[in-house]
């Protein structure tokens, strides 16, 4: 394999580099990253880019880590590449965070890359992942029970991160370095089987090649391409579903339960992950079991049910919608106000305003039927108006009904979500409910031909 030509073909195939780009090369000192830096140095003028190097000492290996940092600095000085380096005590971070060493190192490393990006104004960060890394990742993800996303393995381009060596096998990289007489460091931890990836690379994959599948790497790459193609279709269908089924608002996503239930099961699971990603920026720690829990909750939970999810998310099931939120669902506090006629009150607990005034009623008077406006016979009201939220045992006679109805049953019939019921203003006079704000007046206080004065109530902000 002509590694020089392959490098250029890969950058062009995946549109990794644009002219005038500032590119940061992640350099650990190992063969992959050193090879990557040298290739970028070789084609720097042809690609028309500015080049930087970034090295992070994870402090896992004591003096060896320090020697790696010194090696990278000397290499960058010799090649004239500006270097950004830091040392971070990842073992200590593992203790504090509870993450595995691999996850902790990855988290710290990518945070470091973001800082270097901000300092340099770079558009791209190039990492030395090669074809073998790609194959190992696919196999690891299979064991972890990953979905289609995991079967893709390592993507050539993801956001600002590029992998120009992704189609080049490790043995060709080492041959290239040997031919060019370029020194590199060997990380001793890569030679032990203590870590999951190392065990896959050093023990399992050689066994599979020897005993079961000599062309294992090729088979894994073919699986990746099939998964990529199928996933592309799934993503298109999920985007269509998102436009039709969910609505995104500040700090929450609202899911139409009826439309959601009609989707194919595969799209349901992808849509829930998309909703979580929209709220939190990623789906890390939101596992398949959490997606199943959320799908079941959306379809089967009773209205008013709450669901706690990872990433500090909470789900609330309503009659027609399920709300996924980063905020805790708080219910408005109890309130009680006196409303003078004419007059106006601001109910802070519910975020609404209520106004009252009197109009003379005649044969040509038109009664406003807007739900936020109530017109009542003022002569039937012989006391001050009290505005409050619901209380246990509330009942009234809804307009058009023969008998009385419990307010609770009325809300259920009208499919009012529990979290909104405390917000709705209840207007009473003389101990009788005369208006369920924004919804229905009491039939006993309706305007008739005998009415001479009309009490007009207006609610705003409900």
């Amino acid at each position: 394999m002509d590694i020089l030509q392959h490098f250029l073909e890969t950058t062009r195939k995946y549109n990794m580099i644009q002219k005038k780009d500032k590119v940061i090369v992640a350099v650990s000192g190992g063969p992959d990253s050193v090879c990557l830096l040298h290739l970028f140095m070789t084609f720097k003028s042809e690609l028309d880019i500015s080049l930087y190097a970034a090295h992070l000492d994870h402090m896992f290996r004591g003096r060896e880590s320090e020697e790696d940092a010194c090696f990278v600095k000397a290499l960058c000085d010799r090649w004239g590449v500006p270097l950004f380096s830091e040392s971070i005590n990842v073992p200590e971070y593992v203790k504090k965070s509870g993450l595995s060493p691999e996850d902790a190192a990855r988290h710290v490393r990518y945070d470091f890359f973001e800082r270097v990006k901000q300092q340099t104004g770079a558009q791209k960060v190039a990492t030395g992942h090669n074809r073998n890394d790609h194959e190992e990742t696919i196999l690891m993800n299979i064991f972890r029970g990953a979905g289609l996303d995991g079967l893709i393995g390592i993507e050539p381009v993801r956001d600002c991160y590029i992998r120009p060596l992704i189609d080049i096998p490790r043995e060709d990289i080492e041959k290239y370095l040997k031919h060019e007489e370029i020194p590199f460091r060997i990380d001793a931890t890569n030679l032990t089987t203590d870590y999951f990836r190392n065990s896959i690379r050093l023990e399992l994959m050689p066994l599979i090649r020897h005993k079961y599948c000599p062309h294992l790497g090729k088979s894994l790459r073919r699986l990746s391409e099939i998964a990529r193609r199928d996933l592309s279709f799934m993503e298109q269908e999920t985007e269509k579903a998102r436009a039709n089924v969910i609505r995104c608002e500040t700090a929450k996503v609202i899911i139409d339960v009826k439309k959601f239930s009609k989707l194919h099961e595969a799209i349901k699971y992808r849509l829930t992950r998309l909703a979580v990603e929209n709220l939190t920026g990623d789906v890390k720690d939101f596992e398949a079991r959490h997606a199943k829990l959320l799908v079941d909750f959306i379809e089967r939970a009773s209205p008013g049910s709450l669901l706690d999810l990872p990433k500090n998310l909470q789900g609330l099931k309503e009659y027609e919608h399920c709300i996924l939120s980063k905020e805790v669902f708080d219910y408005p506090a109890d309130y009680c106000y006196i409303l003078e006629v004419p007059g106006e009150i601001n109910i802070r607990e519910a975020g609404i305003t209520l106004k009252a005034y009197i109009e003379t009623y005649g044969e040509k008077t038109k009664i406003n039927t807007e739900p936020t406006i109530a017109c009542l016979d003022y002569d039937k009201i012989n006391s001050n108006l009290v505005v409050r939220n619901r209380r246990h045992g509330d009942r009234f006679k809804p307009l058009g009904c023969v008998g009385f109805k419990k307010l609770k049953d009325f809300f259920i019939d009208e499919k009012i979500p529990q979290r909104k019921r405390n917000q709705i203003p209840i207007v009473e006079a003389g101990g009788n409910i005369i208006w369920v704000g924004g919804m229905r007046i009491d039939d006993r206080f309706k305007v008739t031909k005998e009415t001479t004065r009309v009490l007009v109530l207006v609610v705003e902000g409900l």
Side-chain angles (χ1 to χ4, degrees):
M1 175 183 287
D2 183 349
I3 194 170
L4 296 168
Q5 188 62 30
H6 217 89
F7 170 81
L8 284 178
E9 287 175 358
T10 302
T11 59
R12 291 165 183 160
K13 176 182 177 182
Y14 299 108
N15 195 28
M16 292 180 175
I17 304 289
Q18 282 73 48
K19 288 184 180 297
K20 306 301 180 184
D21 268 352
K22 294 180 178 179
V23 180
I24 300 165
V25 180
V27 184
S28 66
D32 301 330
S33 62
V34 169
C35 175
L36 181 63
L37 183 60
H38 189 264
L39 290 170
F40 268 114
M41 283 293 302
T42 303
F43 293 106
K44 180 182 175 183
S45 298
E46 182 175 334
L47 294 172
D48 192 13
I49 59 172
S50 300
L51 202 58
Y52 306 89
H55 175 81
L56 179 65
D57 178 0
H58 299 85
M59 301 177 68
F60 272 123
R61 297 176 292 117
R63 184 164 182 78
E64 280 188 39
S65 293
E66 295 174 8
E67 291 173 353
D68 288 348
C70 291
F71 169 81
V72 172
K73 183 180 185 307
L75 189 71
C76 291
D77 287 344
R78 186 162 71 250
W79 289 350
V81 180
L83 173 66
F84 294 81
S85 62
E86 287 185 15
S87 296
I88 296 178
N89 193 331
V90 178
E92 189 64 31
Y93 179 65
V94 168
K95 294 177 184 177
K96 292 180 180 179
S97 66
L99 296 172
S100 69
E102 293 111 315
D103 286 341
R106 188 182 303 109
H107 184 272
V108 168
R109 186 163 59 248
Y110 279 89
D111 280 350
F112 166 61
F113 293 152
E114 288 301 315
R115 289 194 295 275
V116 178
K117 263 189 68 190
Q118 291 177 6
Q119 291 175 7
T120 59
Q123 292 81 26
K124 306 289 170 56
V125 179
T127 63
H129 294 97
N130 59 47
R131 195 171 80 181
N132 299 69
D133 295 321
H134 174 52
E135 296 163 2
E136 293 159 9
T137 300
I138 297 168
L139 195 55
M140 288 170 60
N141 288 342
I142 290 173
F143 290 139
R144 288 170 172 162
L148 284 178
D149 306 67
L151 296 183
I152 287 177
I154 300 176
E155 297 185 73
V157 178
R158 187 176 182 85
D159 300 323
C160 66
Y161 293 92
I162 59 176
R163 284 96 183 195
L165 305 183
I166 199 66
D167 291 333
I168 301 174
R170 186 175 292 124
E171 60 182 293
D172 287 353
I173 291 171
E174 293 174 354
K175 287 178 183 177
Y176 174 79
L177 293 173
K178 184 177 181 180
H179 181 267
E180 297 294 325
E181 297 182 343
I182 300 171
F184 55 87
R185 297 277 296 176
I186 294 295
D187 183 346
T189 60
N190 287 335
L191 303 178
T192 72
T193 57
D194 295 338
Y195 297 104
F196 185 39
R197 178 180 288 275
N198 288 357
S199 179
I200 294 286
R201 174 192 302 147
L202 299 174
E203 296 178 329
L204 183 60
M205 293 185 76
L207 174 64
I208 295 174
R209 286 193 182 97
H210 174 71
K211 196 169 182 179
Y212 302 101
C213 181
H215 49 276
L216 174 63
K218 186 177 180 180
S219 296
L220 290 170
R221 295 195 302 275
R222 184 169 62 248
L223 175 63
S224 173
E225 287 303 311
I226 294 170
R228 187 186 304 279
R229 184 173 60 240
D230 291 352
L231 183 61
S232 176
F233 171 75
M234 294 285 288
E235 288 174 343
Q236 288 180 15
E237 293 302 302
T238 304
E239 282 299 321
K240 291 178 186 177
R242 173 161 72 169
N244 188 45
V245 177
I246 70 176
R247 184 172 80 252
C248 299
E249 297 184 1
T250 304
K252 63 182 178 182
V253 170
I254 301 171
I255 302 168
D256 187 305
V257 174
K258 188 174 182 180
K259 292 179 179 178
F260 182 87
S261 298
K262 293 179 180 178
L263 296 174
H264 188 282
E265 187 177 12
I267 303 300
K268 290 176 185 177
Y269 279 80
R270 297 197 67 82
L271 200 61
T272 56
R273 290 172 63 83
L274 199 63
V276 170
E277 186 175 21
N278 184 83
L279 288 171
T280 65
D282 59 57
V283 288
K284 184 174 174 57
D285 299 325
F286 188 78
E287 301 171 3
R289 60 192 176 94
H290 300 128
K292 184 179 187 308
L293 194 66
L294 182 52
V295 169
D296 289 344
F297 179 77
I298 294 169
E299 295 190 308
R300 297 182 176 86
S302 301
S305 300
L306 293 173
L307 175 68
D308 290 319
L309 291 165
K311 305 174 83 65
N312 295 318
L313 296 179
Q314 191 174 62
L316 171 65
K317 179 68 177 292
E318 296 186 338
Y319 287 96
E320 297 178 353
H321 299 94
C322 180
I323 301 173
L324 194 61
S325 175
K326 292 171 67 176
E327 300 173 350
V328 175
F329 293 101
D330 292 324
Y331 292 90
D334 287 342
Y335 59 83
C336 186
Y337 292 83
I338 300 296
L339 175 60
E340 296 182 356
V341 183
E344 178 179 328
I345 55 172
N346 179 32
I347 303 173
R348 297 182 303 276
E349 293 88 346
I352 59 177
T353 299
L354 210 66
K355 300 177 183 178
Y357 58 90
I358 302 296
E359 286 186 347
T360 303
Y361 183 72
E363 290 183 4
K364 295 183 179 180
T365 304
K366 291 185 177 180
I367 299 299
N368 197 311
T369 57
E370 290 287 327
T372 56
I373 299 175
C375 296
L376 304 110
D377 189 333
Y378 190 53
D379 292 321
K380 296 177 181 176
I381 300 169
N382 54 10
S383 66
N384 292 329
L385 301 183
V386 175
V387 183
R388 58 173 176 79
N389 50 4
R390 59 178 178 154
R391 298 288 186 269
H392 180 71
D394 276 344
R395 57 199 295 272
F396 77 121
K397 189 177 182 182
L399 180 66
C401 292
V402 177
F404 285 84
K405 193 167 196 173
K406 289 181 180 179
L407 184 60
K408 178 182 178 181
D409 293 338
F410 175 75
F411 282 152
I412 291 173
D413 290 346
E414 295 295 318
K415 296 185 177 180
I416 304 301
Q418 278 195 350
R419 68 186 179 92
K420 292 185 177 180
R421 294 176 190 176
N422 266 20
Q423 185 182 11
I424 294 173
I426 308 300
V427 184
E428 69 172 36
N432 295 310
I433 292 176
I434 64 173
W435 185 38
V436 178
M439 299 190 69
R440 196 83 58 86
I441 66 169
D442 188 292
D443 193 78
R444 294 169 293 174
F445 299 91
K446 66 186 177 183
V447 174
T448 66
K449 292 180 180 179
E450 287 74 34
T451 300
T452 58
R453 294 183 300 168
V454 176
L455 170 64
V456 182
L457 301 174
V458 181
V459 63
E460 298 175 351
L462 186 62

